[in-house]
Short mmCIF file of all heavy atoms in Angstrom, two decimals:
data_model
loop_
_atom_site.label_atom_id
_atom_site.label_comp_id
_atom_site.label_asym_id
_atom_site.label_seq_id
_atom_site.Cartn_x
_atom_site.Cartn_y
_atom_site.Cartn_z
N LYS A 273 0.84 -1.18 0.00
CA LYS A 273 0.00 0.00 0.00
C LYS A 273 0.88 1.24 0.00
O LYS A 273 1.97 1.25 0.56
CB LYS A 273 -0.88 0.03 1.25
CG LYS A 273 -1.89 -1.08 1.28
CD LYS A 273 -2.71 -0.99 2.55
CE LYS A 273 -3.68 -2.14 2.64
NZ LYS A 273 -4.41 -2.14 3.91
N VAL A 274 0.39 2.30 -0.62
CA VAL A 274 1.11 3.56 -0.60
C VAL A 274 0.93 4.18 0.79
O VAL A 274 -0.19 4.34 1.26
CB VAL A 274 0.57 4.51 -1.69
CG1 VAL A 274 1.26 5.86 -1.61
CG2 VAL A 274 0.75 3.90 -3.07
N VAL A 275 2.02 4.51 1.42
CA VAL A 275 1.98 5.09 2.76
C VAL A 275 2.23 6.59 2.63
O VAL A 275 3.23 7.01 2.04
CB VAL A 275 3.06 4.45 3.67
CG1 VAL A 275 3.06 5.09 5.03
CG2 VAL A 275 2.83 2.96 3.77
N PRO A 276 1.31 7.43 3.14
CA PRO A 276 1.49 8.88 3.00
C PRO A 276 2.71 9.37 3.77
O PRO A 276 3.05 8.85 4.83
CB PRO A 276 0.20 9.45 3.59
CG PRO A 276 -0.34 8.40 4.48
CD PRO A 276 0.12 7.09 3.91
N THR A 277 3.37 10.37 3.20
CA THR A 277 4.52 10.98 3.86
C THR A 277 4.17 12.32 4.49
O THR A 277 4.95 12.89 5.22
CB THR A 277 5.67 11.19 2.86
OG1 THR A 277 5.19 11.99 1.77
CG2 THR A 277 6.18 9.86 2.33
N GLU A 278 2.96 12.83 4.18
CA GLU A 278 2.51 14.09 4.75
C GLU A 278 1.16 13.90 5.41
O GLU A 278 0.38 13.03 5.02
CB GLU A 278 2.39 15.16 3.66
CG GLU A 278 3.71 15.56 3.06
CD GLU A 278 3.56 16.69 2.04
OE1 GLU A 278 2.46 17.27 1.95
OE2 GLU A 278 4.54 16.96 1.35
N ALA A 279 0.87 14.75 6.39
CA ALA A 279 -0.40 14.67 7.09
C ALA A 279 -1.55 14.95 6.13
O ALA A 279 -1.44 15.79 5.23
CB ALA A 279 -0.43 15.68 8.24
N SER A 280 -2.64 14.24 6.31
CA SER A 280 -3.84 14.46 5.51
C SER A 280 -4.51 15.76 5.94
O SER A 280 -4.35 16.21 7.08
CB SER A 280 -4.81 13.30 5.68
OG SER A 280 -4.23 12.11 5.20
N ILE A 281 -5.27 16.34 5.03
CA ILE A 281 -5.90 17.63 5.29
C ILE A 281 -7.41 17.50 5.13
O ILE A 281 -7.90 16.93 4.17
CB ILE A 281 -5.36 18.71 4.33
CG1 ILE A 281 -3.86 18.92 4.58
CG2 ILE A 281 -6.13 20.01 4.49
CD1 ILE A 281 -3.20 19.85 3.59
N GLU A 282 -8.13 18.03 6.09
CA GLU A 282 -9.58 18.16 6.01
C GLU A 282 -9.89 19.63 6.24
O GLU A 282 -9.24 20.27 7.06
CB GLU A 282 -10.28 17.31 7.07
CG GLU A 282 -10.15 15.83 6.82
CD GLU A 282 -10.92 14.99 7.83
OE1 GLU A 282 -11.55 15.56 8.75
OE2 GLU A 282 -10.90 13.77 7.69
N GLU A 283 -10.86 20.16 5.53
CA GLU A 283 -11.22 21.57 5.68
C GLU A 283 -12.66 21.71 6.14
O GLU A 283 -13.52 20.95 5.73
CB GLU A 283 -11.01 22.33 4.36
CG GLU A 283 -9.56 22.55 3.98
CD GLU A 283 -8.77 23.40 4.97
OE1 GLU A 283 -9.35 24.34 5.55
OE2 GLU A 283 -7.59 23.11 5.16
N GLY A 284 -12.90 22.69 7.00
CA GLY A 284 -14.25 22.99 7.45
C GLY A 284 -14.69 22.13 8.62
O GLY A 284 -13.94 21.30 9.14
N PHE A 285 -15.93 22.34 9.01
CA PHE A 285 -16.50 21.62 10.14
C PHE A 285 -16.73 20.16 9.76
O PHE A 285 -17.27 19.87 8.70
CB PHE A 285 -17.82 22.26 10.58
CG PHE A 285 -18.48 21.57 11.73
CD1 PHE A 285 -17.97 21.70 13.00
CD2 PHE A 285 -19.58 20.77 11.53
CE1 PHE A 285 -18.57 21.05 14.08
CE2 PHE A 285 -20.19 20.11 12.59
CZ PHE A 285 -19.68 20.25 13.87
N GLN A 286 -16.32 19.25 10.64
CA GLN A 286 -16.49 17.82 10.42
C GLN A 286 -17.30 17.24 11.57
O GLN A 286 -16.90 17.36 12.73
CB GLN A 286 -15.13 17.11 10.34
CG GLN A 286 -14.16 17.70 9.33
CD GLN A 286 -14.61 17.47 7.90
OE1 GLN A 286 -15.17 16.43 7.58
NE2 GLN A 286 -14.38 18.45 7.04
N LYS A 287 -18.41 16.65 11.26
CA LYS A 287 -19.30 16.10 12.28
C LYS A 287 -18.71 14.84 12.92
O LYS A 287 -18.83 14.63 14.10
CB LYS A 287 -20.67 15.81 11.65
CG LYS A 287 -21.72 15.43 12.62
CD LYS A 287 -22.29 16.64 13.29
CE LYS A 287 -23.42 16.22 14.24
NZ LYS A 287 -23.46 16.99 15.44
N GLY A 288 -18.11 13.98 12.11
CA GLY A 288 -17.50 12.76 12.64
C GLY A 288 -18.52 11.68 12.88
O GLY A 288 -19.60 11.73 12.33
N PRO A 289 -18.25 10.68 13.66
CA PRO A 289 -16.99 10.48 14.38
C PRO A 289 -15.89 9.88 13.51
O PRO A 289 -16.18 9.19 12.55
CB PRO A 289 -17.38 9.49 15.49
CG PRO A 289 -18.47 8.68 14.89
CD PRO A 289 -19.22 9.63 13.97
N LYS A 290 -14.67 10.18 13.85
CA LYS A 290 -13.49 9.63 13.17
C LYS A 290 -12.71 8.86 14.23
O LYS A 290 -12.31 9.43 15.25
CB LYS A 290 -12.64 10.75 12.58
CG LYS A 290 -11.37 10.24 11.90
CD LYS A 290 -10.44 11.36 11.46
CE LYS A 290 -10.98 12.11 10.29
NZ LYS A 290 -11.01 11.34 9.04
N GLU A 291 -12.53 7.57 13.98
CA GLU A 291 -11.77 6.75 14.91
C GLU A 291 -10.29 6.80 14.54
O GLU A 291 -9.93 6.55 13.39
CB GLU A 291 -12.27 5.30 14.91
CG GLU A 291 -13.62 5.15 15.54
CD GLU A 291 -14.07 3.72 15.69
OE1 GLU A 291 -13.27 2.79 15.40
OE2 GLU A 291 -15.22 3.52 16.11
N VAL A 292 -9.47 7.14 15.53
CA VAL A 292 -8.04 7.31 15.31
C VAL A 292 -7.25 6.73 16.48
O VAL A 292 -7.78 6.57 17.58
CB VAL A 292 -7.67 8.81 15.15
CG1 VAL A 292 -8.28 9.41 13.90
CG2 VAL A 292 -8.07 9.62 16.37
N MET A 293 -5.99 6.43 16.20
CA MET A 293 -5.08 6.03 17.27
C MET A 293 -4.15 7.21 17.55
O MET A 293 -3.63 7.82 16.62
CB MET A 293 -4.25 4.81 16.86
CG MET A 293 -3.25 4.39 17.95
SD MET A 293 -2.15 3.08 17.44
CE MET A 293 -3.24 1.68 17.61
N VAL A 294 -3.93 7.50 18.80
CA VAL A 294 -3.04 8.58 19.19
C VAL A 294 -1.60 8.08 19.03
O VAL A 294 -1.24 7.02 19.55
CB VAL A 294 -3.29 9.01 20.66
CG1 VAL A 294 -2.31 10.10 21.07
CG2 VAL A 294 -4.73 9.46 20.84
N LEU A 295 -0.79 8.83 18.29
CA LEU A 295 0.62 8.47 18.12
C LEU A 295 1.50 9.24 19.09
O LEU A 295 2.43 8.68 19.66
CB LEU A 295 1.06 8.72 16.68
CG LEU A 295 0.29 7.96 15.60
CD1 LEU A 295 0.83 8.32 14.23
CD2 LEU A 295 0.35 6.47 15.83
N LYS A 296 1.22 10.54 19.24
CA LYS A 296 1.99 11.34 20.20
C LYS A 296 1.20 12.59 20.54
O LYS A 296 0.30 13.01 19.81
CB LYS A 296 3.38 11.68 19.66
CG LYS A 296 3.38 12.60 18.46
CD LYS A 296 4.82 12.90 18.02
CE LYS A 296 4.81 13.83 16.81
NZ LYS A 296 6.16 14.21 16.42
N ALA A 297 1.56 13.17 21.69
CA ALA A 297 0.93 14.42 22.13
C ALA A 297 1.95 15.21 22.94
O ALA A 297 2.74 14.64 23.69
CB ALA A 297 -0.30 14.13 22.98
N THR A 298 1.93 16.53 22.76
CA THR A 298 2.85 17.40 23.50
C THR A 298 2.23 17.74 24.85
O THR A 298 1.05 17.47 25.10
CB THR A 298 3.12 18.71 22.74
OG1 THR A 298 1.91 19.47 22.66
CG2 THR A 298 3.67 18.45 21.35
N GLU A 299 3.02 18.34 25.69
CA GLU A 299 2.49 18.87 26.95
C GLU A 299 1.75 20.17 26.65
O GLU A 299 2.12 20.90 25.72
CB GLU A 299 3.63 19.13 27.94
CG GLU A 299 4.25 17.85 28.49
CD GLU A 299 3.25 16.97 29.21
OE1 GLU A 299 2.44 17.49 29.99
OE2 GLU A 299 3.26 15.75 28.96
N PRO A 300 0.71 20.50 27.41
CA PRO A 300 -0.01 21.76 27.19
C PRO A 300 0.92 22.97 27.36
O PRO A 300 1.84 22.95 28.18
CB PRO A 300 -1.08 21.75 28.29
CG PRO A 300 -1.27 20.32 28.62
CD PRO A 300 0.09 19.69 28.45
N PHE A 301 0.66 24.00 26.56
CA PHE A 301 1.43 25.23 26.64
C PHE A 301 0.50 26.41 26.43
O PHE A 301 -0.58 26.28 25.86
CB PHE A 301 2.58 25.24 25.62
CG PHE A 301 2.14 25.09 24.20
CD1 PHE A 301 1.85 26.21 23.42
CD2 PHE A 301 1.99 23.84 23.62
CE1 PHE A 301 1.44 26.08 22.11
CE2 PHE A 301 1.59 23.70 22.31
CZ PHE A 301 1.30 24.82 21.55
N SER A 302 0.92 27.58 26.87
CA SER A 302 0.14 28.80 26.72
C SER A 302 0.37 29.35 25.32
O SER A 302 1.51 29.49 24.88
CB SER A 302 0.56 29.83 27.77
OG SER A 302 -0.14 31.03 27.57
N TYR A 303 -0.71 29.64 24.60
CA TYR A 303 -0.57 30.14 23.23
C TYR A 303 -0.88 31.63 23.11
O TYR A 303 -0.77 32.20 22.04
CB TYR A 303 -1.43 29.34 22.26
CG TYR A 303 -2.92 29.44 22.47
CD1 TYR A 303 -3.68 30.42 21.84
CD2 TYR A 303 -3.58 28.53 23.29
CE1 TYR A 303 -5.04 30.50 22.02
CE2 TYR A 303 -4.94 28.60 23.47
CZ TYR A 303 -5.67 29.59 22.84
OH TYR A 303 -7.01 29.66 23.03
N ASP A 304 -1.25 32.26 24.21
CA ASP A 304 -1.52 33.70 24.21
C ASP A 304 -0.69 34.34 25.30
O ASP A 304 -0.95 34.15 26.49
CB ASP A 304 -3.02 33.96 24.46
CG ASP A 304 -3.40 35.42 24.32
OD1 ASP A 304 -2.49 36.30 24.31
OD2 ASP A 304 -4.60 35.70 24.22
#
């Protein structure tokens, strides 16, 4: 199978649900 090398893109509001596996997550940080 062709394996993507870049993240997929979705635009606009998505109702879902989309089942996914978490690969990684950063620690929370202040963005303002």
